[in-house]
Amino acid sequence: MQMTREETKWHGDEDTKGGWYVLAHGDEYFTSRHSRIEFVSFEYRISSLAWLRGRITKSVDVELAELRAHRKSGAHRVPGWEGESDLMLDESETVLDTDVRQISAGVIVVAAIAALESLMNQMLNQPNDERVHKAGFTQKARELAARWSAVIDRTELDEHISWLRERRNSFAHRLIDDVDRQWRTSTPPWNFDDEMAGETLARASAVAWILEAGWEHYLGAQGRFTGI
């Protein structure tokens, strides 16, 4: 007998989030209302990123706890190299709590936007849309918003797109140590952390909801079946 999705959520082991399978991790963010392949693919990507976010956060927390336990017990110290041992432990803690957390959050930002761009490209299906495929994230969103202005809240869409774009660009610049000093001083000091990763998934999903409404409107106008 085949299990329902609700049943499969809780059929797992200790390596899953409360026994959930990977796809269930995305349920709090995005579930396609019409089950069209374009949006199901996006749903899978968001679920994967939500799973990755949880696993990275848990892994960092566990390793930090282990390092702090070593510090308390002194198990990390090599006889004759106590100072160096302490320094290496300090540096490991710092890297985990800063670089690893920041890079993992930034990767989720970049990957979520890439998932949205892939989704947009599939809906940019007009004869001359190849040029828009090569355009940036913002231009693609604007093009679709213009086409579906009757059903899209342009203000809400623009706010989400701007938030996502600014943080993606900020992350890219942070990876370049010799970035223009003027750019650094004009950019807000955002914290690339688990909270930002979660908000990124929520905002990317909000954009997908908006796009799904526009896509269904377009298909309906074409006389095509509007899904389930």
Side-chain angles (χ1 to χ4, degrees):
M1 181 177 178
Q2 188 173 5
M3 290 186 292
T4 66
R5 184 170 184 175
E6 285 300 313
E7 290 171 333
T8 59
K9 281 184 185 181
W10 301 102
H11 186 75
D13 55 35
E14 291 302 318
D15 290 332
T16 61
K17 180 183 178 183
W20 290 13
Y21 283 126
V22 172
L23 293 182
H25 287 251
D27 282 356
E28 66 182 284
Y29 298 110
F30 182 81
T31 301
S32 176
R33 293 189 175 102
H34 302 278
S35 297
R36 295 196 182 278
I37 186 61
E38 306 93 331
F39 290 90
V40 171
S41 296
F42 176 81
E43 182 181 333
Y44 289 173
R45 292 186 179 187
I46 288 296
S47 295
S48 299
L49 291 173
W51 176 89
L52 182 64
R53 172 199 172 199
R55 293 304 288 265
I56 291 175
T57 299
K58 180 179 178 181
S59 296
V60 170
D61 289 345
V62 167
E63 188 155 350
L64 280 173
E66 290 176 354
L67 291 177
R68 287 160 184 163
H70 288 325
R71 178 184 299 282
K72 186 175 181 180
S73 68
H76 67 290
R77 289 190 164 186
V78 177
W81 298 88
E82 288 82 357
E84 291 81 355
S85 299
D86 288 346
L87 179 60
M88 183 173 293
L89 186 63
D90 290 342
E91 290 175 345
S92 295
E93 285 189 29
T94 299
V95 169
L96 278 170
D97 215 16
T98 55
D99 288 1
V100 173
R101 291 194 192 277
Q102 291 173 15
I103 290 172
S104 62
V107 166
I108 288 174
V109 171
V110 171
I113 292 176
L116 277 176
E117 287 206 57
S118 175
L119 178 62
M120 291 177 187
N121 281 343
Q122 294 179 73
M123 290 179 283
L124 290 163
N125 63 348
Q126 300 302 306
N128 296 323
D129 279 347
E130 186 63 29
R131 62 178 178 79
V132 190
H133 285 200
K134 299 176 182 178
F137 175 55
T138 303
Q139 184 58 40
K140 291 173 184 176
R142 287 175 178 169
E143 183 69 28
L144 291 172
R147 295 179 188 183
W148 305 332
S149 58
V151 294
I152 279 186
D153 184 335
R154 181 65 180 268
T155 300
E156 180 185 357
L157 179 65
D158 286 349
E159 199 277 328
H160 289 311
I161 294 295
S162 176
W163 190 97
L164 291 165
R165 182 190 64 245
E166 289 173 355
R167 282 151 184 80
R168 179 194 62 181
N169 293 347
S170 176
F171 175 66
H173 282 286
R174 287 185 184 205
L175 293 178
I176 305 172
D177 293 334
D178 60 348
V179 70
D180 187 346
R181 182 173 298 178
Q182 182 177 356
W183 184 91
R184 283 187 181 276
T185 57
S186 63
T187 304
W190 292 310
N191 292 321
F192 282 80
D193 53 18
D194 182 64
E195 182 178 351
M196 179 184 284
E199 186 169 357
T200 294
L201 296 177
R203 286 182 179 270
S205 297
V207 172
W209 291 121
I210 294 171
L211 295 177
E212 188 172 38
W215 188 235
E216 291 303 315
H217 173 76
Y218 163 76
L219 295 177
Q222 299 297 309
R224 294 172 59 181
F225 177 57
T226 56
I228 60 176

